[in-house]
C-alpha cells in the first residue's frame, strides 16, 4: 500500500545527504560540542530514513524505530555532555586533539 | 504535486541549516541552525504522514536535547568576555539566517493549516498504531530502551558529579574536608 505522494527515493536522498553532512562535520571539526552535534545530525538522518520507509509501506514500525533512536540519542547526548564537562575541567579546552591519551 | 513542493522546500531548509550548523565557529550560532534543521525535518515527517514522529521530533529533539546543549555551553562559560560577546550576538547577521529559514517553515505551516483538506491527507500512521506496536511486539525493545535511559542517567550523573565537587564555590571548604579525612 503506497500512502505516500512523495517518492521514497527523495526522502532517502534527503536522509543520505543529511547523513553525509553530519559525517563531514564529524571529520572536519575538532570541538567536541560540534562532534556531538554532528552525531545528532547523523542519528536524525537515520531516523528520517526509518520514518520515510515506514510511511511508504504504511507500517508503524518505522516510527517505533524512530522512538528507539530518540532514546539512544538522548542517552548518548547526556553522557557525551558529561564528558564535555570533564574534558573542559581537565584540559581547559574543548579541542579533542588534546584528549588523545588514555589513562590520563 | 503541491505536497512535493512543500517537501522540497522543507528539505532544502533542512540541508542549508545543517550545512550552516556544521560550519559555524560559534557553538550557539550552530545550535540555532541545528534547531531550524530539526524543525524542518519535523515538517518532513508531517508531510510524509508521520504526525506523531513530527511532534516527538520537536518536543524531544528541538526541545529537550537542544536545551541540554545550551545548558552545557552555558556551564562551560566559554566566552569570558561576556558583554562584548552578547553585543556581537545581537547583531542582525547572527540571527538573520536562522530567522529566514524558520520563516520559510512558518509560511509552509500557515499554508498547510489554511487549506482545509490540506496536502497532508495522505494515509498516515497514527499515534494509536505506533502505541499498539510499541507495547505489542516491541515491548522488549521498550524495556531495553528504559534500561538504556537509566544507564545514561547514572553515567551522566557520575560524570557530572565530580565536576561539581571539585569546582564548587567553596573550594577551601572541600579541600579542608579532604585534609580532615
Amino acid at each position: 500500500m503506497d500512502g505516500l505522494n512523495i517518492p521514497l527515493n527523495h526522502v532517502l536522498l534527503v536522509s543520505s545527504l543529511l547523513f553525509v553532512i553530519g559525517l563531514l562535520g564529524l571529520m572536519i571539526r575538532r570541538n567536541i560540542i560540534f562532534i556531538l552535534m554532528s552525531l545528532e545530525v547523523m542519528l536524525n538522518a537515520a531516523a528520517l530514513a526509518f520514518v520515510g520507509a515506514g510511511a511508504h509501506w504504511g507500517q508503524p514500525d518505522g516510527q517505533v524505530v524512530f522512538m528507539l533512536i530518540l532514546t539512544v540519542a538522548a542517552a548518548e547526548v547526556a553522557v557525551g555532555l558529561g564528558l564535555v564537562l570533564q574534558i573542559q575541567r581537565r584540559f581547559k579546552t574543548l579541542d579533542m586533539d588534546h584528549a588523545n591519551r588514555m589513562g590520563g | 504535486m503541491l505536497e512535493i513542493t512543500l517537501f522540497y522546500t522543507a528539505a532544502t531548509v533542512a540541508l542549508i541549516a545543517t550545512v550552516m550548523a556544521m560550519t559555524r565557529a560559534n557553538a550557539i550560532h550552530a545550535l540555532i541552525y541545528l534547531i531550524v534543521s530539526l524543525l524542518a525535518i519535523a515538517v518532513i515527517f508531517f508531510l510524509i504522514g508521520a504526525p506523531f514522529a513530527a511532534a516527538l521530533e520537536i518536543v524531544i529533539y528541538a526541545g529537550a536535547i537542544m536545551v541540554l546543549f545550551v545548558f552545557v555551553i552555558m556551564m562551560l562559560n566559554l566566552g569570558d568576555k561576556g558583554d562584548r560577546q552578547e553585543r556581537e550576538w545581537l547583531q542582525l547577521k547572527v540571527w538573520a539566517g536562522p530567522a529566514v529559514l524558520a520563516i520559510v517553515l512558518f509560511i509552509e505551516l500557515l499554508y498547510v493549516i489554511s487549506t482545509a483538506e490540506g496536502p497532508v491527507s495522505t494515509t498516515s500512521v497514527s499515534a494509536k498504531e505506533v502505541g499498539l506496536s510499541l507495547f505489542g511486539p516491541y515491548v522488549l525493545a521498550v524495556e531495553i530502551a528504559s534500561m538504556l535511559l537509566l544507564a545514561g542517567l547514572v553515567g551522566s550523573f557520575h560524570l557530572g558529579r565530580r565536576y561539581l565537587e571539585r569546582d564548587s564555590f567553596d573550594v577551601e571548604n572541600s579541600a579542608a574536608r579532604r585534609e580532615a579525612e
Side-chain angles (χ1 to χ4, degrees), chain B residues 81-113:
Chain B
K81 282 80 72 180
D83 286 348
R84 190 179 54 78
Q85 209 158 35
E86 197 70 26
R87 267 195 296 279
E88 280 176 13
W89 288 356
L90 283 175
Q91 282 172 4
L92 179 69
K93 66 178 170 61
V94 170
W95 54 269
V100 167
L101 293 175
I103 284 169
V104 171
L105 289 178
F106 181 64
I107 291 168
E108 265 191 56
L109 174 70
L110 280 186
Y111 181 77
V112 166
I113 59 178

Side-chain angles (χ1 to χ4, degrees), chain A residues 18-43 76 96-97, chain B residues 18-19 21-23:
Chain A
L18 279 174
F19 190 87
V20 168
I21 292 170
L23 188 63
L24 282 176
L26 186 72
M27 290 192 289
I28 63 176
R29 299 309 294 248
R30 293 281 191 282
N31 190 322
I32 185 171
I33 289 186
F34 281 92
I35 289 175
L36 284 175
M37 282 188 208
S38 310
L39 285 175
E40 291 298 309
V41 169
M42 287 164 74
L43 280 171
E76 173 251 327
M96 280 312 286
D97 286 351
Chain B
T18 313
V19 169
M22 292 294 105
T23 52

Side-chain angles (χ1 to χ4, degrees), chain B residues 92-158:
Chain B
L92 179 69
K93 66 178 170 61
V94 170
W95 54 269
V100 167
L101 293 175
I103 284 169
V104 171
L105 289 178
F106 181 64
I107 291 168
E108 265 191 56
L109 174 70
L110 280 186
Y111 181 77
V112 166
I113 59 178
S114 65
T115 52
E117 73 274 26
V120 287
S121 56
T122 53
T123 54
S124 62
V125 183
S126 67
K128 184 185 172 191
E129 286 176 68
V130 178
L132 283 175
S133 189
L134 262 181
F135 289 97
Y138 284 100
V139 69
L140 183 63
V142 173
E143 295 292 335
I144 293 172
S146 69
M147 294 296 290
L148 175 71
L149 280 178
L150 181 64
L153 177 71
V154 173
S156 55
F157 175 71
H158 176 67

